[in-house]
Amino acid sequence: MQASPEVHAWLNALAQEMGVDRRALLQLLGSGGAAAVLMACNQVPVPSEAQELLGELSATTDTDQSPAQSPFFKDPEPFIKHSDTTLETRSEQMEGFITPNHLLFVRNNSVSLDVNADDWRLSIEGDAVASPQEITYRELRQMPGRTVVSYLECAGNQRAMFDLIKGQAADDTQWMTGAVGNGIWTGIPLRTVLELAGVSAEAASVLLIGMDTESPEKGWRRALPIEKALDPDTLLAYTLNGEDLPRDHGYPLRAMVPGWVGSASVKWLSHIVVSTEQFWTRNNTSSYVMIGDDYAPEGEALGKPLTTQSIKSALALPWPARLAEGSHRLHGYAHSPHGPIALVEWSADSGATWHEARVLEPQVQYSWARFEFDWDAAAGEHTLITRATDVEGNMQPDEIPFNEKGYLFNQPLPHPVHVA
Ligand code: MTE
């Protein structure tokens, strides 16, 4: 492209509009971020000299991407769209055992990437492997596969409840109950490639790095302790619900770390580093860390770094819900990182009396369980509360302390229901 002063100024304005520096903008153009650039173009007038470039950008965006300005590959229409990096599933669409791919929430920290699997490689290196590897997509797909049914949940799911229920707002995306979904993940155990690389007995930590260099970490990353990395259920997943991973969810490869906060399930994974030392990066020092009076700092972290999720339950109803007078069969879902759900109770009188809901099959480790109960709705304003207990005896706590970033909210939710 001709670098006239107008085009320079335009690129600078675009970069500013997108909140990235100019170098990052140019990298973005080369890594499938054209859609986001086009979207920013709506805000920044395009000089005539750059029209040609814009035409080329339009041509490089996917034909199945709707509409042209979307920073997502999937249709954002069914979702609550908090921002250009977040799509929340509507709670009334969470009745099924499996969340369909087109309804699964999206949490990006930059933009969804469009990676060509033929050019992609997975590298495994570090001071704790004997023979570093570079694996192609084709090679990976030929290795013995494994399938895990697991829920995927953002650590900030239900963050809005800190404000709504406890009156103390935590910054960042005000997720209601829809930053979670249940999926069938197929891939290979992370362990397979670690063993291929000759992981040593001294290995302590495995750092997973994504290709999204525009994310705050310049390649989203999270380290797993070696025990979790070697767990056969910790996957490098290439399909979701029987289809190749959707691009918004990390095609061609992502980590799937069952039971852990979603941030550890690194999308667009291309790089693994195995070390004898513990890794400290933004995502376990200042972000995805429980910070507050109740959490003592650990290692280089400002508080307690997040690992596992917490037990929760929710109703698959809009918030607030509107129902007609009469009998209703209500549905919900509950999940725990510690094992299957043993009991779900519900109350329509602020917890004075609790009734047992039916927990439905299938019940699979790491997956959510659906529940249902019948409620005779009389006209007026009501609050329905549910609480879950897992097979290990963990029960949703009545009260949890505040943490600055609003993670792991799991008090029983007082769901408002208007009956008329
Ligand atoms: N991986 C990469 N490369 N970049 C990201 O921004 N977001 C993380 C995780 N993996 C992220 C990532 C976060 S915070 C969550 S909650 C999950 O992906 C969300 O996964 P999903 O968008 O497939 O639902």
Side-chain angles (χ1 to χ4, degrees), residues 24 70 78 86 134 151 154 210 245 247 250 258 272 297 353 361 390:
S70 175
T86 48
E134 210 172 76
Y151 71 94
C154 185
L245 268 186
R247 284 167 292 180
I272 297 176
T353 49
E361 293 296 330
D390 67 24

Side-chain angles (χ1 to χ4, degrees), residues 105-107 109 154 212 220 249 254 262 265 267-268 288:
F105 81 99
V106 180
R107 173 54 166 129
N109 287 272
C154 185
D212 44 348
W220 189 256
H249 297 291
R254 77 175 299 165
S265 289
K267 305 194 274 189
W268 311 293
Y288 298 95

Side-chain angles (χ1 to χ4, degrees), residues 104-110 152-155 179 185 209-212 215 219-221 248-250 254 261-269 288:
L104 182 63
F105 81 99
V106 180
R107 173 54 166 129
N108 287 340
N109 287 272
S110 55
L152 172 71
E153 184 185 26
C154 185
W185 307 90
I209 307 176
M211 298 170 77
D212 44 348
S215 65
W220 189 256
R221 62 194 62 201
D248 289 312
H249 297 291
R254 77 175 299 165
V261 288
S263 54
S265 289
V266 175
K267 305 194 274 189
W268 311 293
L269 180 67
Y288 298 95

Side-chain angles (χ1 to χ4, degrees), residues 35-36 73-74 144 170-171 173 210 243 275 283 325-326 335 340 379 405 410:
F73 291 100
K74 63 169 72 179
D171 273 353
T173 307
E243 292 173 10
S275 175
N283 281 339
E325 241 179 296
H335 40 84
K405 307 220 167 205
N410 75 333

Side-chain angles (χ1 to χ4, degrees), residues 78-82 86-91 103 105-106 157 173-179:
F79 294 89
I80 302 165
K81 188 169 178 249
H82 292 282
T86 48
L87 294 177
E88 173 168 355
T89 311
R90 292 183 186 277
S91 50
L103 291 181
F105 81 99
V106 180
N157 189 31
T173 307
Q174 293 301 299
W175 299 106
M176 294 291 287
T177 55

Side-chain angles (χ1 to χ4, degrees), residues 10 44 256 365:
W10 175 65
V44 182
M256 186 350 108
Q365 195 183 6

